[in-house]
Amino acid sequence: MSKTLIIAEHDAHELNPSTAKCASCAAAIGQDYDVVVLGSGIDNIAGQAAAIDGVGTVHAIDAEHLASPLAANHAAEVCAMAEGYSHILGPSTTFGKDLMPRIAALLGVNQVSDIAAVTGPHDFKRPIYAGNAIVDVQPPQEVAVVATVRVASWPSAADGGDAAIEARAANATPCGHTRYVSLQSGGGERPDLQSANRVISGGRALASEENFELIYKLADLIGAGAGASRAAVDAGYVPNDLQVGQTGKIIAPDLYVAFGISGAIQHITGIKDAGTIVAVNKDADAPIFEIADIGLVGDLFTVIPEMMQLLE
Amino acid sequence: MRILVGIKRVVDYNVRIRVKPDGSGVDTDGVKMSINPFDEIGLEEALRIREAGRAEEVVVVSVGGDECQQQLRTGLAMGADRAIQVSTADSLQPLSLARVFLKLVEKEQPGLVILGKQAIDGDNSQTGQMLAALWDRPQATFASGLDLTGDTATVIREVDAGLETIEVDLPAVITVDLRLNEPRFVKLPDIMKAKRKPLDVIALDELGVSAENDIQVTQHTSPPQREKGILVEDAAQLVTELKNRGLV
Ligand SMILES: Cc1cc2nc3c(=O)[nH]c(=O)nc-3n(C[C@H](O)[C@H](O)[C@H](O)COP(=O)(O)OP(=O)(O)OC[C@H]3O[C@@H](n4cnc5c(N)ncnc54)[C@H](O)[C@@H]3O)c2cc1C
Ligand SMILES: Nc1ncnc2c1ncn2[C@@H]1O[C@H](COP(=O)(O)O)[C@@H](O)[C@H]1O
């Protein structure tokens, strides 16, 4: 039977919103779908996955060596349970991008990266050239489809599911060659960039880590996530996890506000699916104005404090 | 130790590409071609490792038609010791590419294979992970820091949640991110010197790999373009506009 398996993403405390987005893609493929949660101490996560609408079974593989998301360990487990699944989906987050190609190679297939739309169970649309072209791709029917789901293209599947949870024993032995050391998390308490409804971003123009406080303050005032251009990250004003764009996060908030960002194609790639794009830039010729729904030619250092006063 | 570095010839990142009117592909006629930016960073890292005395040889590899020799020569001018072109008229999908690299790994016995985190044309981000799987060796993807001690590499990875550190035993596959280093500029005398460095050409079938491009690509289209919107005069108008649209 044709069935889809979704690899859950989580940080041991919470299921990542990317999993519910994969579920929307799975629903579009039109077959029954299950979720597998890999990790250590994951009862809570499995419960969250079971609540996603439409999920058939949640497989929970709980083992100490799965505590950190090392692709070599996770790929071996997924391959051990792959039989019976015609499609295996993971998110196009760094977690999925790291893991899914390893699974694909072990199963002997190419991966479909970044599914943006489904036109049939073996017929997908995906972006190439930083989103400047869209291609229709058809993976073969007779082997498993391994794919990443472009999370910015998909809504979160609703809650309300009540899937059965089945514990499974780990099958493969831990790989000895790769060891997890640590995670230095940049993120504070602000909404997660990839699921925030509103995002306030700053570019090179912010000119320092201290000045970036302006972006954070405005973001906090309206409950937005904070983002940045590559230039701002490279210069050390903000941690890397704030980067939006081709090599950062691809996001689709209802509102995206860019302060002092010129609008290079690699940045635009990351925000093309936003509902409304606002740009504030002191250069009237900045390319970002070509795609902004609302533009303001002005100095961000005066505009932001004025906005805050009006919004308070 | 030997380091293999993958180098893909791609449309330069500054070029605004266009889809051909008949949807058969992307127009690359007369367009500037370059080394995939991530691969340049990968090569720079390999050179720094050699310069620090931790590797003896850096070999650049490109899979493609003869035109990719241009990028291999640039790699030699940057400082690679020798180059290998795996010659094929087809553009290979990642699994076949990984099989090519595996064959070269068996021949060359490198301690490290350094690839880009993604090629900016196909944006696949698969080849390195696939090679690591087929080779049954560690992968450290999206590296922004790399430190070698003995037979292990400590790698800082750029992940969505921040910076992750992992330790891998060598040999291993590393895929590199933009913040790992800033590649050096090529100097004119180096371009002359590069002409005398060895560049071997191996046919794809000589390696016993066939181009199994099993994902069919049928149609290219241009993405929907966003329209230019309105301009407002000041912060007050901006806030009013946002409120009217129910966005704040
Ligand atoms: C392979 C590759 C991948 C890349 N990936 C990404 C990516 O994922 N994300 C990304 O963002 N970039 C990426 N880049 C980099 C990208 O090409 C640009 O260099 C970068 O986006 C520029 O950042 P910026 O707009 O902040 O800086 P700049 O281009 O320097 O623009 C700064 C802007 O601020 C304006 N300004 C200055 N002072 C003020 C002021 N006081 N008030 C208002 N406006 C002001 C200026 O007019 C200017 O338009 C990538 C590049 C490559 C080669
Ligand atoms: N034709 C090629 N020749 C050499 N290296 C390649 C080729 N294609 C991909 N690579 C390497 O694999 C990396 C990832 O490519 P991809 O999986 O296509 O995104 C690139 O950054 C290169 O280092």
Side-chain angles (χ1 to χ4, degrees):
Chain A
M1 204 191 72
S2 301
K3 223 173 160 187
T4 300
L5 179 66
I6 297 166
I7 321 291
E9 175 174 5
H10 64 89
D11 64 359
H13 302 290
E14 260 188 296
L15 189 66
N16 191 290
S18 66
T19 307
K21 294 185 174 231
C22 288
S24 289
C25 180
I29 289 171
Q31 312 172 154
D32 289 349
Y33 48 96
D34 295 343
V35 173
V36 58
V37 179
L38 302 128
S40 173
I42 48 172
D43 289 354
N44 173 32
I45 308 289
Q48 292 172 38
I52 296 176
D53 197 32
V55 175
T57 304
V58 173
H59 300 285
I61 308 182
D62 198 321
E64 212 169 307
H65 75 279
L66 300 175
S68 45
L70 295 176
N73 287 334
H74 284 217
E77 292 304 334
V78 173
C79 290
M81 65 170 296
E83 217 184 295
Y85 289 102
S86 61
H87 291 63
I88 304 179
L89 302 182
S92 66
T93 54
T94 52
F95 164 77
K97 283 184 186 169
D98 185 46
L99 173 61
M100 301 310 288
R102 189 148 185 142
I103 294 171
L106 293 176
L107 298 178
V109 299
N110 278 296
Q111 171 184 291
V112 179
S113 297
D114 304 317
I115 294 181
V118 173
T119 39
H122 293 85
D123 206 343
F124 309 109
K125 289 186 187 295
R126 64 169 300 251
I128 57 172
Y129 284 95
N132 287 303
I134 310 291
V135 283
D136 291 356
V137 295
Q138 287 103 31
Q141 313 246 352
E142 58 282 1
V143 290
V145 175
V146 177
T148 58
V149 174
R150 185 177 184 272
V151 288
S153 298
W154 296 91
S156 295
D159 268 354
D162 186 18
I165 300 174
E166 278 180 21
R168 284 175 90 105
N171 235 288
T173 47
C175 74
H177 55 52
T178 308
R179 292 166 296 278
Y180 179 86
V181 179
S182 63
L183 174 70
Q184 186 198 330
S185 172
E189 296 303 294
R190 280 179 200 93
D192 171 56
L193 251 187
Q194 272 152 312
S195 43
N197 293 327
R198 306 184 185 110
V199 172
I200 306 290
S201 260
R204 193 197 308 274
L206 268 297
S208 74
E209 192 178 344
E210 294 73 49
N211 289 343
F212 227 88
E213 282 299 323
L214 275 174
I215 297 289
Y216 296 140
K217 279 190 190 142
L218 179 57
D220 291 345
L221 189 62
I222 62 165
S229 70
R230 176 188 168 196
V233 179
D234 282 2
Y237 309 156
V238 293
N240 67 291
D241 50 300
L242 262 59
Q243 184 175 317
V244 172
Q246 182 186 17
T247 41
K249 288 175 181 156
I250 312 261
I251 59 174
D254 298 331
L255 173 66
Y256 184 79
V257 190
F259 287 100
I261 292 178
S262 59
I265 41 176
Q266 295 87 5
H267 188 80
I268 301 302
T269 302
I271 58 168
K272 273 212 283 237
D273 298 319
T276 301
I277 297 176
V278 176
V280 178
N281 195 304
K282 69 178 182 188
D283 172 9
D285 294 327
I288 193 147
F289 288 126
E290 295 304 314
I291 57 117
D293 299 288
I294 309 174
L296 170 55
V297 180
D299 188 327
L300 71 92
F301 292 106
T302 55
V303 172
I304 295 182
E306 282 170 14
M307 284 180 76
M308 300 222 339
Q309 248 184 7
L310 293 161
L311 286 165
E312 250 155 22
Chain B
M1 182 174 79
R2 176 174 293 143
I3 306 178
L4 287 191
V5 178
I7 282 190
K8 187 175 189 191
R9 172 185 165 94
V10 297
V11 172
D12 187 84
Y13 77 94
N14 276 315
V15 173
R16 223 165 244 280
I17 63 104
R18 257 191 307 268
V19 173
K20 288 184 191 163
D22 66 359
S24 64
V26 160
D27 206 344
T28 52
D29 277 357
V31 157
K32 183 179 177 204
M33 303 297 286
S34 302
I35 298 181
N36 182 39
F38 294 100
D39 300 349
E40 220 178 331
I41 292 166
L43 174 55
E44 174 66 35
E45 196 65 16
L47 296 173
R48 290 185 190 186
I49 293 169
R50 190 193 60 197
E51 284 157 6
R54 298 193 165 276
E56 288 76 49
E57 195 183 36
V58 174
V59 182
V60 282
V61 177
S62 194
V63 184
D66 287 350
E67 58 284 351
C68 76
Q69 290 187 7
Q70 208 184 332
Q71 280 62 43
L72 287 172
R73 288 288 171 203
T74 307
L76 292 170
M78 273 179 73
D81 299 288
R82 63 190 168 89
I84 300 174
Q85 178 203 354
V86 176
S87 130
T88 164
D90 298 310
S91 134
L92 300 193
Q93 287 176 1
L95 184 61
S96 298
L97 277 165
R99 288 181 175 142
V100 166
F101 274 100
L102 184 65
K103 291 288 179 190
L104 295 176
V105 158
E106 286 162 4
K107 267 171 93 127
E108 301 281 349
Q109 300 286 315
L112 272 180
V113 179
I114 304 184
L115 302 180
K117 88 160 176 181
Q118 79 200 62
I120 61 162
D121 47 6
D123 284 335
N124 277 314
S125 194
Q126 300 178 26
T127 308
Q129 298 87 314
M130 288 190 158
L131 170 63
L134 301 180
W135 190 11
D136 198 16
R137 292 303 307 166
Q139 67 188 47
T141 52
F142 327 140
S144 66
L146 174 57
D147 191 26
L148 295 179
T149 25
D151 284 336
T152 49
T154 305
V155 181
I156 300 174
R157 306 179 54 230
E158 291 210 359
V159 295
D160 290 340
L163 296 173
E164 182 189 281
T165 304
I166 62 171
E167 228 177 60
V168 297
D169 293 337
L170 304 187
V173 180
I174 315 274
T175 79
V176 306
D177 215 320
L178 291 171
R179 272 176 282 278
L180 183 59
N181 61 48
E182 273 192 47
R184 66 196 64 188
F185 288 104
V186 172
K187 293 186 231 68
L188 199 59
D190 297 329
I191 297 176
M192 303 310 289
K193 254 198 283 178
K195 291 192 175 143
R196 292 191 299 272
K197 289 185 180 176
L199 189 163
D200 292 330
V201 181
I202 309 176
L204 182 66
D205 51 13
E206 249 178 89
L207 282 180
V209 178
S210 55
E212 278 170 51
N213 288 344
D214 58 3
I215 295 187
Q216 292 207 40
V217 180
T218 46
Q219 180 72 15
H220 290 65
T221 45
S222 294
Q225 297 298 315
R226 288 191 80 105
E227 300 288 317
K228 191 177 172 139
I230 59 161
L231 279 183
V232 293
E233 293 298 319
D234 54 27
Q237 273 189 23
L238 175 54
V239 169
T240 308
E241 195 62 44
L242 291 176
K243 282 187 174 157
N244 288 345
R245 299 187 191 200
L247 292 166
V248 291

